[in-house]
Amino acid sequence: MAPPAPLLLLLPLLAITAGAALSNPAATTTEAPPPVPTPWPEQFHAVMFTNLTESGGRLQLIDLYYDWPRGRNLNLIRSQLSGDPKYDVEWTNGTSYIFDSASCRTIKFAVGILPPDWLRGAVYLGRETTDGFDCHVWTKVDFIWYYEDVVTHRPVRWNFYTGMQQHVMSFNVGGVLEDSQWQAPAHCFNDHAAMATGADAVDTMSSLLWFARAPADAAAAV
Ligand SMILES: *[C@@H]1O[C@H](CO)[C@@H](O)[C@H](O)[C@H]1NC(C)=O
Ligand SMILES: *[C@@H]1O[C@H](CO)[C@@H](O)[C@H](O)[C@H]1NC(C)=O
């Protein structure tokens, strides 16, 4: 008995596809995909040397505490030759408190803190040595340029479109700040405390997450 008709039809088809694969080696050897940024650890403490001179500011030393499981992010900002550090406590519900010993501003963002994989989809620009480290470089929607150490996968530096440059001096995975340090002081909750929206807050921007949230916030406000 002859094989059923569908099988007869299939045999030449198989021969054709096998031939095509052989005559076109490019179809079987695909190019390696570009490197992707390493997601942030869920909790870390980084110390960042921050250079704002290109955008009319000064130098700062910033302690960044990123705490994704608890939905919060804190920047302790020490400006050069200033004795009064500024705190920027950002909560994932969109509320941020910016305060020093005398003043406080409460700012509402339309979006919360960045997820660990916030760099997903960034465009790979290649390798570059920066601050003496061999790095992969990505950019995201032209507002950040992000440098990651090729060997250790730690962030080394990031630059913003405004001219702000942050150099990562230490990166301590799992580094957390005790709960009491996150509490905004009483003067954030009195009648004189200022309230602003993210779009009004451009002048106080000094942290990574401010910049990264700002475009989304601005888009949401349109
Ligand atoms: C800060 O950035 C400016 C502009 O890129 C640069 O000229 C200057 O050397 C930097 N300063 C420090 C201390 O890194
Ligand atoms: C967001 O969370 C913080 C910290 O718990 C709180 O102080 C603030 O009132 C909250 N904001 C809103 C809009 O619920």
Side-chain angles (χ1 to χ4, degrees), residues 164-195:
M164 181 169 91
Q165 306 161 19
Q166 296 198 297
H167 309 262
V168 181
M169 305 303 290
S170 67
F171 193 75
N172 177 16
V173 176
V176 290
L177 187 64
E178 62 174 86
D179 283 347
S180 65
Q181 299 291 306
W182 295 80
Q183 179 59 51
H187 63 268
C188 286
F189 303 98
N190 65 24
D191 293 343
H192 306 295
M195 180 77 77

Side-chain angles (χ1 to χ4, degrees), residues 91 93 95 97 108:
W91 297 93
N93 63 16
T95 303
Y97 300 96
K108 303 247 187 257

Side-chain angles (χ1 to χ4, degrees), residues 49 51-54 59 157 163 165 167:
F49 175 81
N51 183 347
L52 291 156
T53 60
E54 208 171 292
L59 301 180
R157 175 181 185 171
Q165 306 161 19
H167 309 262

Side-chain angles (χ1 to χ4, degrees), residues 13 24 31 44 69 75 89 128 145-146 161 183 194 207 215 217 220:
L13 243 177
N24 183 10
E31 236 175 86
F44 67 84
N75 287 272
V89 181
E128 191 182 319
W145 284 260
Y146 188 88
Y161 67 98
Q183 179 59 51
S207 89
D217 202 57

Side-chain angles (χ1 to χ4, degrees), residues 29-35:
T29 57
T30 51
E31 236 175 86

